[in-house]
Each structure stands twice: as C-alpha cells, then as structure tokens.
C-alpha cells in the first residue's frame, strides 16, 4: 500500500526526523503518519520533542567508537601493535599532536575531549556516505512489514549531524567548558576583566568592550555548531537532490560522494581543532 | 528543523562519552604509546652504545694486531742476527781448528823427518864405517881415522 511520492514529498520525507513526545493523549510519534499529520503530531509538546533517530544513531555510533577504542585500550601492548591497535594509536597520536601543538596548559580533559569529538563527529558525518535512500528505505520496509504502515510514512534521518540539535549540543558543551575553565584559571574577577577591559583598556570603554567581547564569546558555540550543521545539511540536501534526478543521479552521486569524503573529515577536524583552540584561549591568563 | 529536547539528550550523551573516553580510553592508549616510545628510544640508545663499543673493540684489536706483528718482526730480526753471529763464530772456530790441526801435522811431520834423518845418518855412518872397514881391513886404525869418519858422517 505504498503511496506514490512527488519530488517535494520525497525531499520532505528525507528531511523529517522520527519524533516522539508526551502529550495529554499519551505518548505520540510521527511514525506511520503522512507528512502533514506527522509535523502536527508533536506540535503541542513544544520543546519536549525527542528526535529518536538522531539520538539512536548518534548514541549507537558513539558507543561503537568507545567500544572499539576501549577494546584496544584494554589489550594495548607496548610491544609491536596489531593492525587495529596501530590504527587506533594513529588516531590517538594525531589528536594528541594537535592538542600539544595548540594547547600549552596541563589538562587531562582536553585531549580525550578532542578525540571524542573528532571520532564521534567523523563517524556521524560518515553516515552521509551511506546511499541516501538505503537506510530510510530499509526502515520503511521493516515498518511496513511489521506494522503495515505506508513505508513512506516511516521517517528516519541517519546523519545525526544534519540535525541542528546535535551540533548545538556539542557547541554548548564546549561553551560550558570555556566558561568553566575561564573562571577556574583566571578567577571570576579576571574573567570579568577580560570581558570588559579589552580591546580598549580604559574605564569609559567598558560597555563597548563588554559588547564586543560578549559577542565574540557567545559566537563561539554557535559558529561551531552552525559550521558543522550547515556543511553536513547542505551535503545531505545535495545528495537528496541528486537522488531526485532519475537516471542522471548515477554519474553525479559518485563525484559528490568523493568530494564529501573531504568535507566530513575536514568538518570533524575543524570542530576538534577549534574546541582545542577555544579551550586554550580560556586557559590563557593575560 | 526544530531545536527540541533532543538537544538535552545529546548533551548528556556527549558528556557521558567524553567522561568515558577520559576515564577508560585515553589513559591506557596514551600510556601504551608513550611506553613504546620510551622503549624504542632506549633500544636506539643501546644500539648506539653497542656500535660505539664495537668500534672501540675493533680499534683495539687492530692496534694489538699491529703490535704483535711488530714484535714478531723484531723477534725474527733478532733470530736472524743471532744465526749469522753463530755461523760466523763457528766458521772462525773451524778455521782456527783447521789451522791448528794443520800446524800440528806439520810439526809432527817435521819431527818425524828429523828423527828419520837422524836415524838414517846414524845408519849411513855405521854403514860407511863398515864399508870402510871392509875396504881397508886392517889398515884402519879406528883411533887415527876417527876424524875422517866423523867428517864423512857430517857430509851425509
């Protein structure tokens, strides 16, 4: 009982998350609902809507990352490493080198934080290279077979970084760390001074300084989040648009995917690098 | 594209992941890497040292060899010298011995000859006396003619 989709519906279907929320009528999802119905399903829940596909995929990938690295860490030998260990150590060393180059304080959090961000974001970005229809289609088929709903009414976005919630959560997490370490290293007064006495060191310029510095500070988590989200969302959207071209998608998918390999690694790297740099700035006492 | 509760869920997931990574993943991995780096550095240093030792030993061996060769040459030289000396000495000794033997031989011969001469003279004198006696028979007065006989004997 699959319905035919127009191009617009196809695109909208691919851009809709699987959502879940508690309403007065009990637990609601957009599972098995048409597009309009689906977007209305959790309207009244407001903020308290959960994108279960984003959560599931991101946690799955995060656990995959930690499981792999933990397994290697447990059996890590100081002698000749096996292939998996060599690979894991290569990643660890890459992150460690970057941290050592940019961060000069002593902090046991920065390097593991960088590693987590780099590998986790990379894995989530990597989902973008899975053929754009494959997993949503499989989910649709399973949904249709199991509960008899229209496969086009099963929603699933497989790239968690194309859901603004995730990059923003990462950005805010980093932002909290920036504030925490700024205050911890410079003291509250030092941090306040940094916000108000720069770049013009005169009492009459305090409001101007404060506005400038606050914007700089507040822009950090959002620039982090939006850079990652924008790149991946745009990439995903282009995959979807290419997929609507019928036969023409065949020669186009490949070059875009190749180009995208660069984007997904680069975005993961940039996110990690900027996190390290921001935290390094937070540790610097003027 | 709504910001919703997912944000909170992701934030919690993020914190848990970072915590886990910091606690259970990063330290053992970095420890392994650093320990291996240390091991490799130690190994390189040891090999450097061994190489230096080897070089030193080789140098020493060469020196000793050279010394031994010099000593051997000296010994040979000495032996040669000694041999020459011995040969010279023996030659000289032999020469002297020979001369001595020859000289003694000559002396013996001379003595023998003198003796024989004397013997012969005596016998000739006796013979001459006998001959003269026979020729002259009675006429000879041994006393009177003794001087003639003496003269004869001296002439022989």
């Amino acid at each position: 009982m699959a319905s035919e989709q127009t191009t617009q519906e196809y695109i909208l279907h691919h851009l809709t998350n699987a959502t879940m929320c508690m309403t007065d009528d009990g637990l609601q999802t957009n599972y098995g609902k048409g597009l309009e119905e689906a977007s209305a399903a959790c309207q009244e829940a407001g903020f308290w809507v959960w994108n279960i596909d984003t959560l599931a995929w991101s946690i799955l990938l995060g656990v995959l990352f930690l499981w792999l690295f933990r397994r290697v860490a447990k059996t890590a030998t100081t002698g000749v490493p096996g292939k998996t260990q060599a690979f894991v150590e290569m990643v660890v060393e890459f992150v460690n080198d970057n941290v050592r180059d940019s961060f000069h304080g002593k902090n046991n959090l920065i390097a593991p934080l960088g590693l987590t961000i780099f590998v986790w974001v990379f894995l989530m970005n990597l989902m973008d290279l899975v053929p754009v229809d494959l997993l949503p289609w499989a989910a649709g088929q399973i949904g249709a077979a199991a509960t008899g709903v229209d496969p086009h009414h099963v929603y699933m976005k497989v790239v968690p970084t194309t859901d603004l919630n995730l990059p923003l959560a990462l950005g805010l997490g980093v932002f909290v760390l920036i504030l925490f370490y700024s205050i911890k290293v410079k003291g509250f007064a030092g941090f306040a001074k940094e916000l108000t006495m720069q770049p013009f060191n005169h009492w009459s310029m305090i409001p101007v300084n404060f506005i400038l510095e606050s914007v700089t500070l507040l822009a950090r988590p959002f620039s982090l989040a939006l850079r990652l989200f924008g790149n991946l969302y745009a990439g995903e959207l282009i995959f979807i648009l290419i997929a609507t071209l019928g036969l023409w998608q065949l020669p186009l998918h490949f070059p875009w995917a190749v180009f995208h390999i660069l984007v997904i690694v680069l975005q993961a790297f940039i996110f990690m690098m900027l996190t390290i740099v921001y935290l390094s700035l937070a540790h610097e006492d003027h | 594209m709504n910001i919703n509760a997912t944000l909170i869920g992701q934030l919690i997931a993020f914190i848990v992941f970072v915590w886990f990574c910091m606690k259970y993943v990063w330290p053992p991995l970095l420890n392994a890497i650093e320990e291996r780096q240390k091991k490799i550095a130690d190994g390189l240093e040891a090999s450097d040292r061994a190489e230096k030792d080897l070089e030193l030993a080789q140098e020493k061996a060469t020196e000793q060899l050279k010394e031994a060769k010099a000593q051997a040459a000296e010994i040979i030289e000495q032996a040669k010298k000694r041999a020459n000396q011995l040969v010279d000495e023996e030659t000289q000794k032999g020469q002297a011995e020979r001369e001595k033997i020859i000289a003694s031989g000559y002396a013996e011969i001379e003595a023998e000859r003198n003796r024989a001469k004397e013997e012969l003279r005596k016998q000739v004198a006796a013979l001459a006396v006998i001959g003269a006696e026979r020729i002259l028979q009675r006429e000879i007065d041994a006393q009177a003619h003794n001087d003639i006989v003496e003269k004869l004997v001296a002439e022989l």
Side-chain angles (χ1 to χ4, degrees):
Chain A
M1 49 180 265
S3 56
E4 283 301 308
Q5 275 183 313
T6 64
T7 304
Q8 198 190 357
E9 279 169 350
Y10 172 81
I11 294 171
L12 267 176
H13 172 258
H14 272 285
L15 293 180
T16 305
N17 282 108
T19 55
M20 187 181 80
C21 57
M22 282 299 281
T23 61
D24 296 339
D25 310 328
L27 196 67
Q28 290 274 335
T29 65
N30 62 357
Y31 177 74
K33 292 177 179 160
L35 280 168
E36 271 164 49
E37 238 186 301
S39 67
C42 279
Q43 205 83 49
E44 57 179 294
F47 177 77
W48 293 102
V49 180
W50 304 88
N51 293 347
I52 47 179
D53 48 358
T54 305
L55 283 166
W57 280 112
S58 66
I59 289 170
L60 180 77
L61 292 167
V63 169
L64 178 75
F65 149 61
L66 289 174
W67 170 76
L68 174 70
F69 276 55
R70 173 66 191 157
R71 207 188 55 162
V72 171
K74 260 200 295 201
T75 57
T77 162
T78 58
V80 180
K83 289 192 176 69
T84 319
Q85 193 187 340
F87 170 73
V88 165
E89 281 184 3
M90 199 177 72
V91 177
V92 168
E93 216 153 346
F94 168 71
V95 174
N96 198 34
D97 284 349
N98 278 309
V99 171
R100 237 188 324 209
D101 286 347
S102 331
F103 184 81
H104 301 296
K106 179 106 186 75
N107 192 321
N108 291 334
L109 173 69
I110 307 292
L113 174 74
L115 179 71
T116 309
I117 287 176
F118 180 62
V119 182
W120 192 30
V121 170
F122 170 73
L123 285 175
M124 292 190 288
N125 290 353
L126 194 63
M127 295 302 288
D128 217 0
L129 291 180
V130 177
V132 71
D133 274 334
L134 182 66
L135 292 170
W137 175 83
Q141 296 304 313
I142 291 168
T147 57
V149 296
D150 185 338
H152 290 144
H153 291 171
V154 177
Y155 303 97
M156 184 169 70
K157 273 175 79 178
V158 294
V159 189
T161 37
T162 60
D163 180 352
L164 185 55
N165 288 301
L166 187 133
L168 204 56
L170 296 185
L172 288 177
V174 172
F175 184 61
V176 170
L177 285 174
I178 293 174
L179 291 182
F180 174 73
Y181 282 116
S182 287
I183 292 170
K184 189 184 164 199
V185 173
K186 299 161 195 167
F188 196 79
F191 184 46
K193 200 174 150 204
E194 194 181 82
L195 284 180
T196 50
M197 301 307 269
Q198 279 181 2
F200 308 110
N201 195 2
H202 190 268
W203 61 267
S204 64
M205 298 302 272
I206 284 175
V208 180
N209 289 339
F210 184 66
I211 291 168
L212 283 173
E213 286 295 310
S214 301
V215 169
T216 309
L217 189 67
L218 291 174
R220 280 173 188 170
F222 292 104
S223 69
L224 270 180
L226 291 174
R227 182 182 301 107
L228 178 61
F229 165 72
N231 273 284
L232 270 291
Y233 188 75
E236 170 87 341
L237 199 59
I238 288 174
F239 272 123
I240 295 170
L241 291 177
I242 289 172
T244 63
L245 291 179
L247 210 56
W248 285 105
Q249 66 178 290
L250 294 176
L252 284 174
H253 252 310
F254 179 69
W256 182 244
V258 170
F259 175 66
H260 216 60
I261 293 172
L262 179 72
V263 173
I264 61 179
V265 182
L266 199 63
Q267 287 307 320
F269 175 68
I270 288 174
F271 205 112
M272 174 193 79
M273 216 47 221
L274 285 178
T275 301
I276 295 167
V277 169
Y278 288 159
L279 286 173
S280 166
L281 286 175
H283 277 73
E284 256 163 41
D285 214 343
H286 293 284
Chain B
M1 208 43 50
N2 304 314
I3 297 299
N4 55 32
T6 313
L7 182 71
I8 295 168
Q10 294 295 357
L11 201 54
I12 294 167
F14 180 46
I15 291 166
V16 171
F17 288 161
V18 170
W19 170 80
F20 186 88
C21 184
M22 187 170 99
K23 197 101 178 162
Y24 298 109
V25 173
W26 186 265
L29 280 174
L30 204 67
N31 274 349
I33 291 174
E34 275 171 357
E35 211 154 300
R36 178 163 339 105
Q37 275 172 342
K38 206 175 145 275
K39 254 191 197 171
I40 292 172
D42 286 352
L44 284 178
E45 202 185 321
S47 96
D48 263 5
R49 233 187 356 246
E51 213 166 304
K52 223 175 268 167
D53 281 356
L54 182 68
E55 215 167 280
L56 226 70
Q58 254 165 0
E59 225 165 78
K60 216 167 156 188
T62 316
E63 210 170 286
Q64 272 176 346
L65 199 67
K66 224 160 76 192
E67 221 168 90
K69 265 187 189 162
Q71 245 168 7
E74 204 179 320
I75 288 168
I76 290 170
E77 192 65 26
Q78 265 177 351
K80 265 188 194 161
K81 234 195 239 165
R82 180 92 189 104
N84 280 345
Q85 211 177 347
L86 274 175
V87 169
D88 275 1
E89 257 169 40
E90 286 306 311
T91 316
Q92 255 168 13
K93 236 195 247 172
Q95 197 82 18
E97 194 82 4
R98 200 185 75 168
E99 261 155 37
K100 219 167 85 189
I101 289 167
I102 291 171
S104 78
Y106 272 132
E108 217 168 295
I109 291 165
E110 190 74 12
E112 201 67 28
R113 205 180 69 164
N114 281 350
R115 215 160 30 91
K117 228 166 151 184
E118 203 64 35
E119 189 83 14
L120 218 58
R121 196 184 282 162
K122 271 183 193 157
Q123 279 179 6
V124 168
L127 218 64
V129 172
I130 291 166
E133 257 175 3
R134 285 226 180 120
I135 298 166
L136 301 176
Q137 267 327 337
R138 288 136 252 173
E139 277 174 57
I140 273 193
D141 179 4
Q143 218 89 45
H145 295 100
N146 203 29
D147 59 327
I148 295 167
V149 175
E150 281 291 305
K151 226 189 220 165
L152 260 169
V153 170
E155 258 167 47
L156 282 166

